[in-house]
Amino acid sequence: MSTGQLEDLHKYLLGIADNSLILGQRLGELCGHGPSLETDIALTNISLDLFGQVRSYFQYAAQIIADDKVTEDSLAFLRIEREYRNVLLVEQPNTDFGYTIARQFFFDAFHFLFLKELENSKDETLAAIAKKSIKEVSYHWRFSSDWIKRLGDGTQESHDRIQEAVNDLWMYTDELFHQTDADKEMIAQGIGVDTLAIKKSYYKMITEVLEEATLAIPESKYWHKGGKQGIHSEHMGYILSDMQYMQRTYPNMEW
């Protein structure tokens, strides 16, 4: 690959990894605060799965950049807010259990379809990461979609609260399919996933589960975006202040 193509691949890797990094951090905030012990452990395990995937992406991203100072740790902890390329959906707060599940549900459907396509990447490393990760993400999808059905078709209160969460987070889903210049370059090379090609399948998956859960499909056509360009919500700074505290407070520390 040329230098420019390697830079595009590096950016593409960060775009994939940052989604899982920030969502994993959000789920990590819930450790010890789940509504039941079983659910608490499940959410924590999903968080750990996401962090494990992030390590694979960041290790590869650091490997292809000719800079000894760039490591998986520096990519995770030492970038500034505008350098993160995650979608806005994953940085939304854990308002309540309904919001946590709705956020997970919307991301899991995309993540599953994305990895299915990434398995066919011409980049052998990316394809291998996808093959390993999809086993975990298929469980994530079953977990979140099952909870959507339980809450939607449960009590009146659980129905109303998950419907509110679905309505509020729906407007963040379209950004999942936005393509940056690096995305387009990787798609052209047969390395990246053409997210526009899976958009129809995504909303079909989402709609089928929501209907089974007796939940209304949101009608809003207004979409929030900007995260993939580094323009984040007000929540992102607070996430990074927690996540980066040790590295910022004790530079160059070693265990």
Side-chain angles (χ1 to χ4, degrees):
M1 282 189 181
S2 67
T3 301
Q5 290 173 328
L6 285 174
E7 289 177 356
D8 283 332
L9 176 57
H10 180 77
K11 292 176 182 177
Y12 185 69
L13 289 166
L14 295 184
I16 301 172
D18 286 347
N19 285 333
S20 295
L21 174 69
I22 299 304
L23 183 57
Q25 179 69 15
R26 271 296 188 217
L27 293 175
E29 296 172 8
L30 295 168
C31 185
H33 299 281
S36 67
L37 180 60
E38 180 182 10
T39 307
D40 187 292
I41 293 173
L43 290 171
T44 302
N45 282 333
I46 291 172
S47 175
L48 292 173
D49 286 344
L50 293 172
F51 284 133
Q53 295 164 23
V54 168
R55 287 199 66 194
S56 297
Y57 290 123
F58 279 168
Q59 286 169 354
Y60 186 29
Q63 175 187 327
I64 63 176
I65 292 295
D67 186 343
D68 293 339
K69 294 181 180 179
V70 177
T71 66
E72 60 176 298
D73 289 334
S74 70
L75 290 174
F77 300 119
L78 297 180
R79 284 180 289 156
I80 61 174
E81 181 176 320
R82 291 296 294 266
E83 293 175 333
Y84 286 83
R85 294 294 184 262
N86 58 280
V87 294
L88 298 177
L89 173 67
V90 297
E91 63 195 52
Q92 299 311 300
N94 303 314
T95 304
D96 60 23
F97 185 62
Y99 275 81
T100 300
I101 291 299
R103 183 188 62 208
Q104 193 68 36
F105 169 69
F106 284 142
F107 181 74
D108 288 342
F110 170 79
H111 202 189
F112 178 75
L113 293 172
F114 180 87
L115 290 177
K116 280 183 66 177
E117 294 299 317
L118 193 63
E119 285 183 303
N120 302 317
S121 173
K122 291 182 179 179
D123 185 299
E124 294 181 359
T125 302
L126 272 178
I129 294 173
K131 284 181 172 65
K132 178 182 178 181
S133 301
I134 199 167
K135 297 175 183 178
E136 299 168 338
V137 174
S138 61
Y139 163 73
H140 302 171
W141 165 247
R142 290 197 304 272
F143 174 83
S144 60
S145 58
D146 283 349
W147 266 109
I148 288 286
K149 297 170 189 175
R150 291 173 67 180
L151 296 172
D153 199 24
T155 66
Q156 187 62 50
E157 181 177 2
S158 72
H159 175 93
D160 291 345
R161 293 179 73 166
I162 193 63
Q163 181 71 70
E164 180 183 5
V166 166
N167 291 345
D168 287 352
L169 294 174
W170 178 265
M171 63 188 69
Y172 294 101
T173 58
D174 189 68
E175 189 187 11
L176 292 163
F177 306 97
H178 287 195
Q179 295 177 356
T180 65
D181 290 340
D183 293 341
K184 293 174 183 177
E185 179 62 30
M186 291 300 102
I187 292 168
Q189 294 186 36
I191 293 174
V193 174
D194 184 356
T195 51
L196 293 177
I198 63 174
K199 187 174 182 178
K200 183 176 181 181
S201 297
Y202 172 83
Y203 282 109
K204 184 175 184 291
M205 283 178 66
I206 292 295
T207 298
E208 287 175 352
V209 174
L210 292 179
E211 288 178 345
E212 186 175 348
T214 70
L215 294 169
I217 310 301
E219 297 180 357
S220 173
K221 298 300 181 183
Y222 175 77
W223 308 109
H224 284 304
K225 58 184 182 294
K228 297 189 77 170
Q229 287 71 44
I231 304 171
H232 297 281
S233 68
E234 67 273 20
H235 308 296
M236 187 65 170
Y238 294 101
I239 296 173
L240 295 182
S241 67
D242 285 340
M243 191 175 76
Q244 298 182 343
Y245 173 78
M246 289 291 288
Q247 288 74 19
R248 299 291 189 185
T249 306
Y250 303 102
N252 303 317
M253 69 175 182
E254 296 181 0
W255 294 103

